[in-house]
């Protein structure tokens, strides 16, 4: 293997690692409540949850049912329980709803 091939391989590996790190940071940011945000269960539409939504889902966007009570989205703090759905308001805790 010549020096040019080694340098190209190292550069490609570095670019790949940087891309993975960027995706990881974005994913973690979406699932971590902050002082201004809170988890609100039972309000997300199918495919619009922020992270794990119980059995059958793994992370963001994997919920297959509207208003799944185990599915959550980050919303501005203090607004969750004022949001209405066909099944009632959002909740700060997981709910028993269709899944």
């Amino acid at each position: 293997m010549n020096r040019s091939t080694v340098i190209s391989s190292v550069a490609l590996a570095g670019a790949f690692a940087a891309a993975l790190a960027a995706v990881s940071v974005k994913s973690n940011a979406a699932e971590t409540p902050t002082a201004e945000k809170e988890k609100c269960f039972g309000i997300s539409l199918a495919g619009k949850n922020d992270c794990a939504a119980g059995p059958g889902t793994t992370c963001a966007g994997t919920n297959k049912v509207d208003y799944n009570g185990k599915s959550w989205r980050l919303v501005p703090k203090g607004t969750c329980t004022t949001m209405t759905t066909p099944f009632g308001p959002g909740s700060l805790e997981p709910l028993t709803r269709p899944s």
Side-chain angles (χ1 to χ4, degrees):
M1 194 180 281
N2 66 32
R3 182 175 178 190
S4 177
T5 303
V6 170
I7 291 172
S8 294
S9 296
V10 170
L12 181 61
F16 183 71
L20 284 178
V23 168
S24 176
V25 168
K26 183 176 181 184
S27 294
N28 289 338
E31 62 189 60
T32 306
T34 66
E36 303 85 31
K37 302 272 186 175
E38 63 191 1
K39 289 182 183 181
C40 188
F41 292 85
I43 63 163
S44 65
L45 298 176
K48 302 294 182 182
N49 60 299
D50 279 336
C51 208
T57 66
T58 55
C59 209
T62 59
N63 179 27
K64 300 201 183 328
V65 177
D66 289 346
Y67 313 112
N68 181 338
K70 294 182 178 29
S71 174
W72 57 266
R73 290 203 50 116
L74 285 178
V75 299
K77 198 164 218 97
T79 63
C80 177
T81 57
T82 64
M83 295 181 179
T84 58
T85 75
F87 299 100
S91 174
L92 299 174
E93 300 292 327
L95 298 165
T96 302
R97 286 196 179 159
S99 56

